[in-house]
Structure formats: C-alpha cells, structure tokens
Amino acid sequence: MKDSKLRKVTAVLAKIIEVCGWFGVAMMIIASVALTLGKNQIMSAYQSGYLTAGNVTVTGTINNTSDWMLDVVGRGGAMLVFIPLAILCALTALIFRNVYIIFKASNVSSPFSADNVKRIRNIGIYAIALPIVKVVAAIICFAVMKSGDYTLSVELSEVVFGLVALCLSQYFAYGAELQNDVDGLL
C-alpha cells in the first residue's frame, strides 16, 4: 500500500496518545496507593529509612464541597476514585495502540488482514467500554459521596464511534475475504 505523510502523522500522534494513556494509568495507580497509605504512613516509612530519597509534601485546603474526599481517603477508598480513572486511561491507550499498529502495519501489507479486522473490532469494543466505565465510576462516586451536586454525563459520540468501528471491522472482514479469494485466483 502507498505510504503517505498523513498516515505517518496519524501513527505518531496515536503513539503519543497511547504513551500518555499508559502514563495516566501509572499516575492513577501511584495516586491511589499514596492516598490509601496516607501521609502518616508515607512519613513513617520515610523516617524509618524505607524512603531515603526525595521529599513527600502534602498540602491543600479542605472545604465543605471536598469533605467527602477525606472520608474516602480515611476509609482507604482512594481506589474507588482512581482505579476507574486508570481503567479509562488504559482503554484510551489500548484504542490508540491499535490505531498505531494498523497504520504502521499498513505500510508493508494490505489493510485487509485478519489482524487488522481484529484490531478494528477491539477499537470498537474499547470505545463502547469507555462510557460504560464512566457510568460505573460515577455511580461508585455517588455512593461514596455524602452530599453535593451530582452530574452524570455520557457522550453519545463515544458510543457511536464504537459502533462505527465495529461496523468498519465487518467491512474489513469482507475485504479480507475478497482479498483471499483474489489471491487464491492468482
């Protein structure tokens, strides 16, 4: 297949977004562990010699609208907040990982391959999973919070994007069948 600058730029941007997604996963896990341990445990580990490099500083103000965070952290429930965010970052990274592989693999072979069909189908599944995880995360946060205004938003475009990707995977599967038939004739 003919190589193009558009494909190269798209592949590079997809890789950058993938790396940012995995970085987000790591940061959410680190934040979850740090908040679950709490400042006292981190400082006691630092004083006992387990943490010998760097400083740990926890600052901030607490007002009425964020009192629920103290309750969540106090109960060790930081994972309830940050793990769904890590899952969202991971799903985003997986989507763009597949995009990157499709655009890189298309340089040497036909786009109508069984592997690309699988990758496009996975993109659709991950895209549909994003709003589902958002709803589950919002429900968990609603259950944990004691007071405040609650908003839940799901973007229909995410679901439609996932459905479009699933439909495209069917078209690519048909293209792969046609290509196998043509290759069999030659």
Side-chain angles (χ1 to χ4, degrees), residues 6 9 22-23 33 37 39 41 70-71 77 85 106 120-121 130 144 153 155 160 175 177 180:
L6 178 62
V9 168
W22 292 124
F23 180 74
V33 169
L37 290 176
K39 180 181 174 183
Q41 286 83 359
L70 277 182
D71 293 338
L85 294 175
S106 294
I120 294 170
R121 186 177 58 242
L130 276 170
V144 171
S153 67
E155 294 183 34
V160 172
E177 287 178 27
N180 284 339

Side-chain angles (χ1 to χ4, degrees), residues 54-132:
N55 293 328
V56 176
T57 306
V58 178
T59 61
T61 60
I62 304 297
N63 57 28
N64 291 336
T65 59
S66 62
D67 285 341
W68 68 272
M69 186 58 127
L70 277 182
D71 293 338
V72 171
V73 173
R75 292 192 304 260
M79 290 189 185
L80 292 175
V81 176
F82 288 105
I83 295 303
L85 294 175
I87 293 169
L88 291 173
C89 289
L91 288 171
T92 302
L94 288 170
I95 288 171
F96 285 99
R97 176 182 181 274
N98 283 304
V99 169
Y100 174 77
I101 292 171
I102 289 169
F103 282 104
K104 281 308 227 183
S106 294
N107 287 338
V108 293
S109 65
S110 170
F112 299 107
S113 68
D115 289 337
N116 280 349
V117 171
K118 187 182 206 180
R119 289 180 189 114
I120 294 170
R121 186 177 58 242
N122 287 342
I123 289 170
I125 292 168
Y126 299 146
I128 291 172
L130 276 170
I132 293 170

Side-chain angles (χ1 to χ4, degrees), residues 68 71 75 141-148 150:
W68 68 272
D71 293 338
R75 292 192 304 260
C141 286
F142 294 161
V144 171
M145 289 187 216
K146 292 183 178 180
S147 64
Y150 306 121

